[in-house]
Amino acid sequence: WFIGNVDKTLQGNLTDEQRNAVAQVTQPTANFDKPFYMLLIGSDARADDASMGQRSDTNILVYVDPVQNIVSMVSIPRDTMIEINGNTEKFNAAYAYNGPASAITEANELCDVKISHYAEVNFENLIGLIDAVGGVEVDVPERINDPDAGNIVIEAGPQTLDGEAALVFARSRAYADGDFTRASNQRLLVEALINKVLSISPTELPNVIQKAAECVTTDFSSTEIIDLALRFQDGNITMYSSMVPSTTAMVGGVSYVLTYQTQLEEMMAVVESGGDPSTVNMVGTQADIRQEQLDLMGGSSVTYEDGTSGGYGTSSGGYVDSGYSDYDSDGYSGYGYSDYSGYSDYSGGSGYSDSYGGGSTYSDGSDYADGSSGGYADGSDGTSSDYSGGSGYTEDSGASGYEAAPEA
């Protein structure tokens, strides 16, 4: 009765159709005598924004080797450009199509793997999950004071995070590189959670799993979770962490993350060999961009960060840079934070002006490469905007981010 009840709880609120869809796109392991992949999905539904629950805000591909005691995590940037049913989307929008099955399908295709299992945690449930294991030990890289992520200030350095603090740590993206640092923090949190679970006495594991089952949805059974944990407790675990090699681009006024396919293939080969994916060169060139993404963007010219012209993009403007800039273009207004990383030139030709001021006007009056003047003006509510010469954009809560405003 106990096991059956916990297993039912672990199935979450998925419909029969969604569970069947997951079963069709995964290849469950018969046992744990060889490596397998799983996908960790995090959604961030807010009580005041129902639309946010329709996306997977966090996606981490995890290589699990119970024989060699290796766990390797590779984050998939949520704004990664993909194609779904003929539509250009961001990776986090896949979840809206058919729940976790769609996210798994896209991860399989992007990374050329076959995922066996998945686990999903809603960020609000993260509090209960962390508290269920008694908190986690994390070496926080830098101080976090981000009211949009929560009302807790987290100092830098090693410390025990309870559920509330862990939620702030996982949510905050008030960093110069926006979502890249947040993704790194989320992997640190997962690593800390794994270490904590593995430190729990085998006799206490069933009780902990029973509590955790209320916070997690997965296709693992409770006996499989216990079996896997006991296998890793038998030896010293090695954990690696990295991100899909990527860059960013403005395409039709929308920010996307583009994948360096050559470097990703090298990274996945390292993962498969049990190596450290963070040793792979993350920086590529235009020639390394994933072909599917080039096809989606069409053939219009683009001016890059270094001033060179490229052959892809859906508009004559735009740029690709070597870092990640989170333009909050996917409609997640609930964070209240838009990181423009000091870029005020969206036409790609007149350079960059660092004018980020936490809500102030961006490069008001600056001249653009096309001869127009103006710039991006951040309205008092943070939603109105004007790109180069008055082509207005309004924030859309859907998957496509900023959409062109109707002409007057």
Side-chain angles (χ1 to χ4, degrees):
W1 175 87
F2 173 82
I3 293 177
N5 188 52
V6 173
D7 287 348
K8 184 177 181 180
T9 303
L10 286 170
Q11 293 178 3
N13 296 321
L14 295 183
T15 64
D16 290 340
E17 180 181 359
Q18 289 175 322
R19 279 194 291 271
N20 290 335
V22 169
Q24 291 174 6
V25 298
T26 54
Q27 294 186 351
T29 51
N31 49 54
F32 297 129
D33 60 354
K34 61 182 180 180
F36 64 91
Y37 285 99
M38 65 176 294
L39 184 67
L40 293 182
I41 300 173
S43 59
D44 195 7
R46 305 286 182 103
D48 57 352
D49 189 351
S51 67
M52 294 180 65
Q54 298 302 311
R55 300 184 184 183
S56 55
D57 197 53
T58 300
N59 301 275
I60 304 176
L61 180 66
V62 186
Y63 174 83
V64 183
D65 186 345
V67 179
Q68 300 297 325
N69 277 18
I70 295 173
V71 172
S72 190
M73 294 178 284
V74 178
S75 291
I76 301 173
R78 63 179 191 163
D79 289 346
T80 297
M81 179 182 284
I82 59 174
E83 180 181 8
I84 304 178
N85 296 341
N87 300 318
T88 301
E89 300 281 8
K90 297 182 178 183
F91 193 95
N92 66 348
Y95 190 91
Y97 280 79
N98 194 23
S102 293
I104 293 169
T105 297
E106 295 304 322
N108 278 336
E109 181 176 342
L110 179 69
C111 298
D112 193 21
V113 298
K114 296 180 179 179
I115 292 172
S116 298
H117 296 283
Y118 87 100
E120 179 182 351
V121 180
N122 178 279
F123 274 29
E124 291 292 350
N125 290 338
L126 182 65
I127 297 175
L129 178 60
I130 298 299
D131 287 342
V133 300
V136 293
E137 302 296 322
V138 177
D139 188 357
V140 178
E142 60 182 284
R143 186 175 188 266
I144 300 175
N145 184 5
D146 182 6
D148 292 310
N151 297 320
I152 296 176
V153 176
I154 305 176
E155 300 297 334
Q159 58 197 281
T160 300
L161 300 181
D162 63 9
E164 293 283 353
L167 178 60
V168 172
F169 184 68
R171 263 184 176 167
S172 179
R173 56 180 180 176
Y175 308 102
D177 63 355
D179 208 53
F180 274 14
T181 293
R182 184 174 73 147
S184 176
N185 287 346
Q186 290 170 348
R187 295 194 303 273
L188 286 175
L189 189 62
V190 172
E191 182 175 339
L193 180 59
I194 292 173
N195 281 327
K196 187 57 180 285
V197 170
L198 295 183
S199 71
I200 296 173
S201 166
T203 59
E204 293 297 322
L205 271 177
N207 290 331
V208 171
I209 291 174
Q210 182 182 22
K211 295 178 182 177
E214 300 175 359
C215 313
V216 178
T217 299
T218 181
D219 61 343
F220 279 119
S221 68
S222 57
T223 54
E224 287 175 326
I225 295 174
I226 294 174
D227 182 17
L228 191 59
L230 292 177
R231 286 173 180 265
F232 276 98
Q233 283 185 339
D234 289 339
N236 295 323
I237 186 173
T238 299
M239 284 190 275
Y240 298 122
S241 174
S242 191
M243 177 178 286
V244 169
S246 307
T247 187
T248 55
M250 289 296 293
V251 181
V254 181
S255 67
Y256 287 97
V257 172
L258 304 181
T259 305
Y260 285 135
Q261 185 65 28
T262 305
Q263 287 72 17
L264 175 57
E265 290 174 1
E266 180 183 350
M267 176 176 287
M268 296 313 300
V270 170
V271 169
E272 291 275 357
S273 69
D276 183 355
S278 68
T279 61
V280 175
N281 177 25
M282 299 286 286
V283 180
T285 66
Q286 298 172 28
D288 296 315
I289 299 296
R290 185 175 176 84
Q291 186 60 49
E292 178 190 63
Q293 295 169 342
L294 297 177
D295 294 341
L296 289 173
M297 288 187 288
S300 299
S301 64
V302 173
T303 301
Y304 299 94
E305 180 184 20
D306 60 4
T308 60
S309 295
Y312 65 87
T314 57
S315 65
S316 59
Y319 68 86
V320 176
D321 71 4
S322 59
Y324 182 91
S325 299
D326 185 359
Y327 288 83
D328 207 13
S329 59
D330 59 1
Y332 278 11
S333 58
Y335 289 104
Y337 177 83
S338 298
D339 179 18
Y340 291 90
S341 296
Y343 296 141
S344 59
D345 177 25
Y346 290 88
S347 64
S350 59
Y352 302 120
S353 175
D354 189 356
S355 303
Y356 179 76
S360 60
T361 300
Y362 293 83
S363 279
D364 190 8
S366 61
D367 291 330
Y368 288 81
D370 62 0
S372 62
S373 61
Y376 183 93
D378 184 5
S380 60
D381 61 356
T383 57
S384 62
S385 55
D386 177 36
Y387 285 82
S388 282
S391 59
Y393 286 77
T394 57
E395 185 170 355
D396 188 335
S397 62
S400 58
Y402 287 101
E403 299 291 346
E407 294 183 0

